[in-house]
Amino acid sequence: MLELIGLAAGLLLGILYPLSISSAMTLYAGIGLLAALDSGLGGFRARLQGEFHTGIFLSGVVGNAAIAVFLTWLGQKMGIPIYLAAVVVFGTRLFQNFGEIRRELLTSGPKKGKIKQDIEDFGEQSTK
């Protein structure tokens, strides 16, 4: 539920305060968005499997974004589209994570109850 609230808040902010990105930065923004989507789905998958660790998630977000932006920058300096390596890797991982999330949600009834209980526990902790 918390994830959906965050998604709705982000969409609302994006609609109310549109952001313009210069044409020189669109490639970096696209690669950064792909890295963020990969990390987000990976974190959600880890959460469903009961293996989520905040430190690992945050280091993955920062590390993935840094590598992707570096490859994009290096490729632009060399005149070679090296950023395509990041697109292929992150794109493949997005589909893999989505497949694992789908399987987890469709095959594990007890895990649904655990997630619901964790959300309720989190709500109780935040109100204390």
Side-chain angles (χ1 to χ4, degrees):
M1 183 64 169
L2 191 58
E3 294 89 358
L4 293 177
I5 293 170
L7 178 63
L11 289 172
L12 184 63
L13 282 173
I15 291 169
L16 294 176
Y17 301 104
L19 179 66
S20 296
I21 300 173
S22 70
S23 61
M25 301 305 281
T26 56
L27 190 57
Y28 294 102
I31 292 295
L33 180 61
L34 192 58
L37 285 171
D38 171 55
S39 296
L41 276 182
F44 185 63
R45 178 198 46 80
R47 174 67 189 95
L48 285 176
Q49 294 174 343
E51 302 170 353
F52 181 81
H53 299 285
T54 305
I56 293 172
F57 173 73
L58 292 176
S59 66
V61 170
V62 173
N64 285 346
I67 290 170
V69 168
F70 175 73
L71 286 175
T72 304
W73 174 82
L74 184 64
Q76 283 188 330
K77 294 296 179 193
M78 295 172 48
I80 302 171
I82 299 174
Y83 72 91
L84 291 175
V87 170
V88 169
V89 169
F90 291 138
T92 301
R93 287 177 34 161
L94 276 169
F95 285 108
Q96 288 173 341
N97 283 330
F98 176 74
E100 289 184 33
I101 289 168
R102 181 182 46 82
R103 278 189 291 282
E104 284 289 325
L105 291 175
L106 293 175
T107 61
S108 61
K111 290 186 180 180
K112 290 179 189 177
K114 181 183 183 310
I115 292 170
K116 184 178 179 181
Q117 183 61 43
D118 286 349
I119 291 171
E120 290 171 359
D121 291 345
F122 179 76
E124 290 173 7
Q125 289 175 357
S126 64
T127 58
K128 290 181 181 179

